[in-house]
């Protein structure tokens, strides 16, 4: 999954692709480099991000989704936690909903997924970093709540994907703990998307700025494959796609 942020303020590539023409060119590059899915986001979710209105977010993503789906044979996901944005995006041609709040911020987003029969990615997130004495048990319970919301909204079980939420509501140590539980996450019985690309956890490990974290990202992706993850959401598609192809052969 190649990341396409059509935002002015995303942590790694804000402002680079916030026109339809630039976005489509980058999407074509990522597909040529090996991306199977293009993840379009219209609002940054980095720490301290500036919220945008529903109307603004729709205005950012819909023209890009329409352009990509008309020019490329590739799956498109909409990176949003708002049901209205998800609805507009799917109507514009998006095939997948990617919700960083796991259907908890706006449960109606699960109804959108059910109505259109599209997959929904439920990311682990919460409002605090208090996991009590058993981190994984608490995180798993959080994810099970998201799964239940989706199922009760009518989403088919085979349309649910999970994301461990690296970098969201977790300290450095808790991010590492979540990585160590990827095999347990995979054992929950749903496809797992891993989104570690260029994140602060990698920057902390390597003591490197955001534009020098590709190798660290690759290491986390290889580790993810070894522990049952199925989809990698990345900025640097070409090198990571090569690593994943090699990992597939080894596996």
């Amino acid at each position: 999954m190649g990341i396409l942020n059509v935002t002015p303020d995303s942590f790694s590539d804000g402002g680079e692709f916030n026109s339809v023409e630039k976005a489509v060119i980058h999407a074509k590059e990522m597909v040529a480099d090996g991306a199977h899915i293009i993840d379009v986001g219209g609002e940054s979710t980095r720490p301290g991000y500036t919220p945008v209105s529903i109307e603004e977010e729709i205005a950012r993503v819909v023209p890009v989704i329409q352009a990509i789906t008309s020019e490329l044979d590739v799956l498109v996901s909409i990176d949003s936690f708002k049901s209205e944005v998800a609805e507009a995006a799917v109507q514009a041609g998006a095939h997948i909903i990617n919700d960083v709040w796991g259907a908890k911020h706006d449960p109606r987003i699960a109804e959108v997924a059910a109505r259109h029969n599209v997959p929904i990615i439920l990311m682990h997130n919460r409002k605090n970093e208090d996991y009590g004495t058993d981190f994984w048990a608490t995180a798993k319970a959080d994810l099970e709540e998201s799964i239940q919301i989706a199922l009760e909204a009518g989403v088919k079980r085979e349309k649910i994907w999970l994301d461990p939420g690296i970098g969201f509501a977790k300290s450095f140590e808790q991010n590492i703990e979540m990585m160590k539980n990827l095999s347990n996450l995979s054992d929950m019985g749903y496809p797992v998307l891993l989104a570690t690309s260029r994140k602060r956890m990698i920057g902390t490990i390597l003591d490197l700025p955001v534009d020098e974290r590709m190798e660290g990202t690759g290491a986390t992706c290889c580790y993810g494959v070894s522990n049952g993850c199925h989809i990698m959401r990345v900025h640097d598609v070409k090198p990571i796609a090569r690593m994943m192809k090699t990992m597939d052969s080894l596996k």
Side-chain angles (χ1 to χ4, degrees):
M1 177 185 281
I3 299 169
L4 182 58
N5 289 316
V6 288
T7 61
D9 58 344
S10 290
F11 82 95
S12 177
D13 54 2
E16 289 188 35
F17 311 114
N18 58 345
S19 75
V20 174
E21 183 180 5
K22 288 180 179 179
V24 171
I25 289 171
H26 189 51
K28 289 180 177 178
E29 291 172 346
M30 290 193 288
V31 170
D33 288 343
H36 303 104
I37 307 169
I38 302 298
D39 191 45
V40 178
E43 179 179 59
S44 172
T45 52
R46 65 178 176 80
Y49 75 96
T50 302
V52 300
S53 68
I54 291 168
E55 294 75 18
E56 172 65 20
E57 193 174 344
I58 290 172
R60 289 178 181 180
V61 301
V62 164
V64 171
I65 292 168
Q66 290 173 331
I68 291 172
T69 53
S70 67
E71 295 189 38
L72 288 166
D73 182 19
V74 66
L75 294 172
V76 174
S77 55
I78 175 63
D79 180 1
S80 182
F81 53 82
K82 301 168 188 171
S83 60
E84 298 92 341
V85 176
E87 178 75 44
V90 172
Q91 289 183 354
H95 309 91
I96 302 160
I97 297 170
N98 183 11
D99 181 3
V100 300
W101 274 103
K104 292 181 181 179
H105 182 275
D106 181 357
R108 292 172 301 170
I109 201 166
E111 297 171 10
V112 174
R115 188 164 60 252
H116 293 282
N117 195 30
V118 298
I120 183 167
I121 303 166
L122 303 172
M123 194 191 81
H124 177 267
N125 204 347
R126 64 195 345 258
K127 293 181 179 179
N128 60 66
E129 297 178 4
D130 181 9
Y131 292 84
T133 57
D134 190 330
F135 173 84
W136 170 243
T138 303
K140 182 181 180 183
D142 291 340
L143 284 165
E144 287 173 339
E145 287 179 18
S146 291
I147 292 167
Q148 194 59 34
I149 291 169
L151 292 174
E152 290 180 359
V155 179
K156 296 176 182 176
R157 189 170 292 275
E158 63 268 24
K159 297 288 186 180
I160 294 174
W161 303 1
L162 301 180
D163 178 339
I166 300 301
F168 288 81
K170 297 170 190 69
S171 66
F172 172 76
E173 292 78 13
Q174 289 166 342
N175 282 312
I176 297 295
E177 190 69 19
M178 183 59 98
M179 290 292 294
K180 290 180 178 180
N181 278 283
L182 289 178
S183 60
N184 289 326
L185 178 59
S186 179
D187 287 344
M188 290 179 69
Y190 300 90
V192 175
L193 177 143
L194 183 62
T196 53
S197 189
R198 302 181 184 176
K199 286 188 174 175
R200 185 180 297 174
M201 176 187 73
I202 295 167
T204 300
I205 293 170
L206 299 177
D207 191 23
L208 288 173
V210 69
D211 59 348
E212 293 186 37
R213 298 175 186 172
M214 188 279 290
E215 298 90 347
T217 298
T220 60
C221 290
C222 291
Y223 181 83
V225 171
S226 295
N227 286 276
C229 298
H230 305 81
I231 308 122
M232 304 296 149
R233 180 182 182 274
V234 298
H235 299 86
D236 305 291
V237 172
K238 183 181 285 185
I240 306 300
R242 289 173 176 173
M243 294 178 202
M244 297 303 93
K245 189 173 182 178
T246 305
M247 288 297 296
D248 283 345
S249 296
L250 296 172
K251 290 278 283 183

